[in-house]
Amino acid sequence: MSSETRAFAAIDAGTATTGVSLIARVEGAWRLLGSTAASSAIPVDALIDLLAGRLAAADPDLGLTLGLSAAEAGVAGATGAGPRADERGPSAAVDWPRVGVATGPPPRLAVVAATDRAVTALARTARAAGWDAVPASIAGANVLEMANLLLRQDVVAVLAGASDPAGGDERNGLSELAALVAAAARRRPDLTVILAGAVVEHEAALAREAASDAPENAPVERSIVVGPAATAGDPAGEPLRALLDGLAHS
């Protein structure tokens, strides 16, 4: 925007909704003139036009000062006499400068555990931290399905977890879980591995297995992050959520 700018539209484009605000310099101060939010499927131009129409209807003199007229700004749509904002085409009349931010899709995280009980708690914590969590357990899926999940290119990290101490229904599956994660890490050097709870006991073996195909004396970059169980902390899961939040936004 230039130093001559008197009004602009601020846009917050999210993955599900889009927010639009109209801001202008009025009587020597910047003021919020109106804001709205709608599904991201609705064109930004239509939302700006809707707000401009409301402004021109509510304060015609201010609208004219800012270069709007009731007819140009689409007052019919704002007052209910015309089509809704999502039914009108883009406005050619409201041509204010725009500033905005866009939110991309959350990073995808494979969440794996020995049991459905454990994976449910892990996935809930991961989603609270802003991840797109895709859960799978040894008890609820076959090994091939889990391997395919870990090798998906849209998966940027894997969270392998268990209770701490591991429950009786988890113990027999932890070695298999660690071996599965190690195999995926060996195939994908870019994959960040997060171990939570009792799976941490397998960290050293997992790291060795993940690097087993590397040439002798070659440095192997491997990102293994150790964290608490999904049931640890007060409230339960908060320490793991904080860890995952930091990784999601790093």
Side-chain angles (χ1 to χ4, degrees):
M1 295 183 297
S2 71
S3 59
E4 300 299 322
T5 299
R6 294 195 57 195
F8 65 94
I11 302 162
D12 181 4
T15 56
T17 61
T18 299
V20 175
S21 299
L22 297 186
I23 299 169
R25 195 166 184 82
V26 180
E27 296 180 351
W30 289 101
R31 301 187 184 278
L32 174 65
L33 304 181
S35 62
T36 190
S39 165
S40 57
I42 297 177
V44 170
D45 288 320
L47 298 178
I48 294 175
D49 190 44
L50 178 65
L51 286 176
R54 291 173 178 173
L55 171 62
D59 193 334
D61 291 338
L62 177 58
L64 287 172
T65 299
L66 297 174
L68 303 174
S69 69
E72 289 175 335
V75 170
T79 59
R84 299 192 312 270
D86 58 334
E87 295 174 339
R88 298 199 305 276
S91 168
V94 185
D95 189 21
W96 290 1
R98 304 178 184 191
V99 296
V101 295
T103 302
R108 182 154 292 167
L109 176 72
V111 181
V112 293
T115 66
D116 290 341
R117 173 181 60 82
V119 83
T120 297
L122 289 164
R124 181 171 56 247
T125 302
R127 290 175 182 132
W131 289 86
D132 177 10
V134 183
S137 73
I138 290 176
N142 63 51
V143 173
L144 180 60
E145 289 174 341
M146 294 182 71
N148 287 336
L149 169 62
L150 298 179
L151 294 176
R152 281 172 49 173
Q153 290 303 306
D154 60 343
V155 168
V156 299
V158 54
L159 169 62
S163 305
D164 191 13
D169 56 344
E170 296 177 278
R171 293 192 191 99
N172 292 336
L174 291 188
S175 295
E176 183 180 357
L177 179 67
L180 184 65
V181 173
R186 188 169 63 248
R187 292 277 302 275
R188 292 191 54 192
D190 62 313
L191 188 67
T192 296
V193 176
I194 307 158
L195 304 179
V199 183
V200 171
E201 299 170 6
H202 297 266
E203 179 189 3
L206 190 154
R208 285 195 303 271
E209 177 64 21
S212 61
D213 286 346
E216 188 176 357
N217 299 324
V220 177
E221 293 186 7
R222 166 60 49 206
S223 179
I224 298 180
V225 180
V226 173
T231 53
D234 185 16
E238 177 56 24
L240 180 60
R241 186 210 63 77
L243 173 66
L244 294 174
D245 181 76
L247 292 172
H249 299 96
S250 62

